[in-house]
């Protein structure tokens, strides 16, 4: 997976401009490395590769939302005007990530992890 592919999808998912994304490039790179450690990317066909890139971008957006969760205000009041945020970005990103995990379950399974003994 190239950084450009994932950044382009991250921009689509998040709605961010390139300047905003550049602040989070290290999170995106970490997510790419994580996905590449789970899957042999070179063995995927083009469709599977594109699905994995999309899932990686959504995962990076989810990680971003977790880092920014503390900064988000749920309620804001200025004089007589009150604004309440009904659903946080982290909640939306979590839902998106859960859906992506389901859609790439045939490529990589994030939920069933176990250690196996290897004989020499």
């Amino acid at each position: 997976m190239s950084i450009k592919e994932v950044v382009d999808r991250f921009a689509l998912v998040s709605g961010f401009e390139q300047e905003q994304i550049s602040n989070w490039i290290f999170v995106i790179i970490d997510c790419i490395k994580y996905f590449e450690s789970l899957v042999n990317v070179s063995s995927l066909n083009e469709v599977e590769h594109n699905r994995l890139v999309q899932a990686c971008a959504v995962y990076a957006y989810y990680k971003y939302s977790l880092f920014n969760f503390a900064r988000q205000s749920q309620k804001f009041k200025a004089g007589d005007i009150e604004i309440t945020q009904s659903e946080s970005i982290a909640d939306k990103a979590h839902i998106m990530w859960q859906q992506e995990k389901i859609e790439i379950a045939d490529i990589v399974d994030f939920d069933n992890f176990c250690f196996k003994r290897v004989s020499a």
Side-chain angles (χ1 to χ4, degrees):
M1 282 186 288
S2 74
I3 294 172
K4 182 182 178 344
E5 289 176 313
V6 178
V7 167
D8 289 345
R9 295 286 179 113
F10 184 87
L12 182 65
V13 169
S14 66
F16 292 165
E17 299 295 326
Q18 292 298 329
E19 300 82 39
Q20 293 171 294
I21 294 172
S22 65
N23 294 330
W24 298 97
I25 197 70
F26 294 108
V27 172
I28 294 170
I29 291 169
D30 289 345
C31 292
I32 291 170
K33 289 179 182 177
Y34 175 61
F35 272 65
E36 288 178 343
S37 74
L38 296 173
V39 178
N40 181 2
V41 179
S42 62
S43 68
L44 300 176
N45 63 39
E46 185 180 350
V47 173
E48 292 170 333
H49 176 82
N50 291 339
R51 289 171 47 213
L52 196 66
V53 168
Q54 174 69 20
C56 185
V58 169
Y59 183 69
Y61 181 63
Y62 175 58
K63 298 278 281 191
Y64 156 81
S65 72
L66 293 177
F67 288 129
N68 266 340
F69 186 70
R71 296 186 208 170
Q72 299 170 3
S73 63
Q74 299 294 327
K75 198 172 194 180
F76 177 78
K77 185 172 183 174
D80 293 336
I81 299 173
E82 185 173 320
I83 299 171
T84 304
Q85 185 177 356
S86 61
E87 188 176 20
S88 74
I89 293 172
D91 293 336
K92 291 177 184 176
H94 179 72
I95 291 168
M96 290 170 61
W97 171 236
Q98 294 303 316
Q99 182 60 37
E100 287 297 325
K101 279 189 347 185
I102 292 168
E103 291 180 11
I104 64 166
D106 60 319
I107 299 171
V108 60
D109 187 4
F110 290 93
D111 294 326
N112 295 324
F113 177 79
C114 65
F115 288 103
K116 291 186 178 181
R117 186 176 128 212
V118 178
S119 59

